[in-house]
Amino acid sequence: IFEHLGVAQAILDTRASAYRRMQIWDANSDAHIEFDADDVNRDHLGLILENDLIIYSLREFIDNCPEIDILPLSLDSITRRTDGIQIELANTSLLSRLLVGADGQHSRVRSLAGIPTDMGLFNQTALVCRIATELAHEQTAFQCFHHSGPIAYLPLADGSSSIVWSCDSDKVQPLMRLDETGFAAAVEEAMQARLGKVELLSQRGAFPLAQQHASRYVESRIALIGDAAHRTHPLAGLGANLGLQDAAALAETIERSIAGNRPFYSQATLRKYERIRRHQNALILDAM
């Protein structure tokens, strides 16, 4: 997708962290599994990209597109008309043939369209930060499963690692209150010292985990993509990938309709997008 937009190389040239191996194990048994790029004759299994870097690269691309206008205004209301959908922004009114809700888990577009969601709470919170480890990660991602949830080291290009520690919510605040030394020791213990001593390199962040799925992705002249349509557990790091695939599928559906001289904003066209993506996303959400 990024290659098609012409931004892939800029991202790769700035900061992209390839991982070649994955080691996953259970803290309370001998169960484990490993993946290695060599086993499938590939240079790497995947890339870890920073969200801010992706957004910066895409924003730079948009700034060079004269066809795109950015209006940093809040969405007040929408009104369906026979000739389109009227969108009321702060002091501005627009008439559009199609409105795409790409506005996140608390989507205003989804709310105004009256699309309900199925919501499930994991009673877990994800704790994230960046660390340095005594031993080199050697382009390997590590994940250890505990009864209270998994903790993962994600290798970064500069030798540090990003961690995502999903654990029962009542255990998070005590971890957040620890000083840097105490927290580093807790991380080291949770990962069973797989990479030796740990040093905290950034502030800690925490966000509650929930699963959310819109009952439908489309309405008349409205389509939802990304977190506006679905949220899932960060266990496999698939949330952003699913959203990118939504965007690509919607774009392809629109392109085919235009090429076939069919209205790209029609319910029939948008339902094709929904059939493609809602089923695929449901498989991942159910698995998580």
Side-chain angles (χ1 to χ4, degrees):
I1 294 168
F2 293 149
E3 285 175 356
H4 179 75
L5 293 173
V7 300
Q9 200 58 50
I11 294 173
L12 293 173
D13 289 346
T14 307
R15 274 189 312 278
S17 304
Y19 59 94
R20 294 182 45 79
R21 288 169 294 275
M22 297 177 71
Q23 295 183 13
I24 303 158
W25 71 98
D26 181 68
N28 303 293
S29 74
D30 294 331
H32 69 280
I33 190 169
E34 296 187 12
F35 302 94
D36 195 310
D38 290 340
D39 294 338
V40 288
N41 297 314
R42 294 180 59 175
D43 291 334
H44 55 268
L45 293 175
L47 295 168
I48 297 168
L49 305 177
E50 298 166 45
N51 192 52
D52 287 350
L53 176 58
I54 293 172
I55 291 173
Y56 175 82
S57 301
L58 292 174
R59 181 59 187 264
E60 196 171 52
F61 170 81
I62 288 171
D63 288 342
N64 291 318
C65 287
E67 303 93 339
I68 299 176
D69 294 321
I70 294 181
L71 307 175
L73 304 170
S74 60
L75 174 62
D76 291 337
S77 67
I78 58 176
T79 305
R80 293 182 180 86
R81 297 174 21 171
T82 56
D83 57 344
I85 185 163
Q86 188 167 324
I87 303 164
E88 298 296 337
L89 305 171
N91 303 318
T92 303
S93 180
L94 303 173
L95 182 64
S96 175
R97 286 179 289 178
L98 176 64
L99 172 62
V100 178
D103 50 345
Q105 66 187 58
H106 303 297
S107 173
R108 176 77 170 152
V109 172
R110 186 185 67 226
S111 176
L112 291 173
I115 299 176
T117 63
D118 296 322
M119 185 93 167
L121 298 175
F122 292 113
N123 295 317
Q124 285 193 327
T125 298
L127 196 156
V128 296
C129 63
R130 192 166 63 89
I131 61 169
T133 55
E134 180 182 6
L135 303 177
H137 56 59
E138 297 182 340
Q139 294 184 298
T140 303
F142 300 89
Q143 189 169 42
C144 180
F145 281 81
H146 295 265
H147 289 309
S148 61
I151 179 173
Y153 285 0
L154 306 175
L156 300 179
D158 64 359
S160 66
S161 295
S162 174
I163 78 163
V164 181
W165 190 350
S166 303
C167 57
D168 294 340
S169 295
D170 60 357
K171 293 178 168 49
V172 170
Q173 284 308 314
L175 288 171
M176 293 290 282
R177 285 195 292 266
L178 291 173
D179 62 20
E180 291 189 7
T181 302
F183 178 74
V187 171
E188 182 184 332
E189 180 182 4
M191 285 298 283
Q192 300 182 327
R194 183 60 63 104
L195 292 182
K197 296 293 184 183
V198 170
E199 178 187 356
L200 186 63
L201 297 179
S202 72
Q203 291 185 328
R204 287 160 270 180
F207 55 93
L209 300 179
Q211 182 158 294
Q212 189 175 15
H213 205 192
S215 62
R216 55 189 180 276
Y217 286 11
V218 300
E219 281 280 345
S220 176
R221 297 183 180 273
I222 294 174
L224 303 178
I225 65 173
D227 284 7
H230 48 77
R231 291 171 62 197
T232 189
H233 196 287
L235 175 66
L238 292 175
N241 289 13
L242 296 180
L244 290 168
Q245 291 170 35
D246 290 347
L250 180 59
E252 289 173 357
T253 303
I254 290 171
E255 279 192 330
R256 290 195 192 102
S257 296
I258 293 173
N261 292 315
R262 297 185 301 273
F264 65 83
Y265 47 83
S266 72
Q267 188 80 345
T269 295
L270 298 179
R271 283 298 304 277
K272 292 178 182 177
Y273 153 71
E274 182 181 52
R275 283 194 295 272
I276 294 168
R277 292 305 306 157
R278 198 173 192 282
H279 174 67
Q280 293 295 322
N281 291 333
L283 288 175
I284 298 298
L285 267 64
D286 289 347
M288 294 303 104

